[in-house]
Amino acid sequence: MSKSYKELMNEITTFVFDVDGVLTDGTIHVTPTGEMLRNMNIRDGYAMKAAVENGYTVCIISGGSNEGVRVRLRNLGITDIHLGVPNKVDTFKEFTDIYNIKSENVLYMGDDIPDYHVMQLVGLPTCPQNAVPEIKGISKYISHIEGGKGAVRDVIEQVMKVQGKWMEHFDAKFD
């Protein structure tokens, strides 16, 4: 019998996220100079920072290459930021090899076809509510929240709650 997504959350040590459509709502604003601006959710940022501070490994693997995204993620304490990635599977395998991470301990959130093959390698493939049907079809958990609107917060908070680390983190910060 296969495990429920809540049972799988007990085994998560590592979060891997796509950017566009997961950390953003998938829309871009193009300036007259050609710069592409994205919106990110502050609650997703809080959750990623909480995950890092609680010893989880957080990695970003994206086909996009916006340097503003890199700056935002670094400010949250994320050091494994892979932008402009043509092959997410190769990058994922290199990342897990470097840190000796077992794929069953990884939660990956993606939303579109470029995430499909890497999502098949992880212990807990997840997606936002507005992911494409192919990604929803292989996800063991589909957030009730859309990408860029707090879906990342949803999965991080659930994992940390299952592992008893969510309010522990909050309490420690404000003692």
Side-chain angles (χ1 to χ4, degrees):
M1 188 162 92
S2 65
K3 294 181 179 181
S4 72
Y5 77 89
K6 286 281 189 183
E7 291 172 310
L8 293 170
M9 286 181 170
N10 271 316
E11 301 170 25
I12 299 304
T13 62
T14 303
F15 296 98
V16 180
F17 299 108
D18 178 33
V19 174
D20 292 317
V22 173
L23 287 168
T24 76
D25 66 4
T27 61
I28 56 170
H29 302 282
V30 182
T31 69
T33 61
E35 184 179 5
M36 292 183 270
L37 306 176
R38 291 154 172 86
N39 292 322
M40 294 181 143
N41 187 289
I42 198 77
R43 291 182 181 158
D44 287 342
Y46 174 80
M48 288 187 292
K49 187 172 178 65
V52 169
E53 289 175 356
N54 275 272
Y56 294 93
T57 303
V58 178
C59 176
I60 306 299
I61 302 176
S62 177
S65 57
N66 183 286
E67 286 305 308
V69 169
R70 186 184 310 276
V71 170
R72 164 75 176 138
L73 296 170
R74 276 195 185 137
N75 287 337
L76 297 173
I78 299 168
T79 56
D80 291 288
I81 305 166
H82 306 274
L83 304 179
V85 173
N87 184 326
K88 291 184 178 190
V89 169
D90 288 348
T91 300
F92 174 77
K93 287 180 177 178
E94 289 170 17
F95 163 73
T96 54
D97 285 349
I98 288 169
Y99 291 100
N100 197 27
I101 296 169
K102 295 179 182 174
S103 58
E104 61 263 24
N105 300 125
V106 177
L107 179 152
Y108 185 102
M109 182 174 267
D111 73 305
D112 208 346
I113 302 302
D115 301 304
Y116 188 88
H117 293 296
V118 70
M119 288 177 70
Q120 291 181 310
L121 301 176
V122 303
L124 185 51
T126 67
C127 68
Q129 180 58 47
N130 57 335
V132 299
E134 296 85 352
I135 296 301
K136 285 183 172 182
I138 62 168
S139 291
K140 293 182 181 174
Y141 174 73
I142 300 170
S143 177
H144 63 284
I145 303 171
E146 294 185 354
K149 308 283 185 194
V152 168
R153 162 74 175 256
D154 175 35
V155 293
I156 291 174
E157 183 175 335
Q158 284 195 60
V159 167
M160 289 180 72
K161 282 181 175 177
V162 164
Q163 296 181 9
K165 296 180 180 178
W166 182 250
M167 289 306 291
E168 176 183 288
H169 163 77
F170 184 78
D171 292 343
K173 291 293 226 187
F174 297 99
D175 276 348

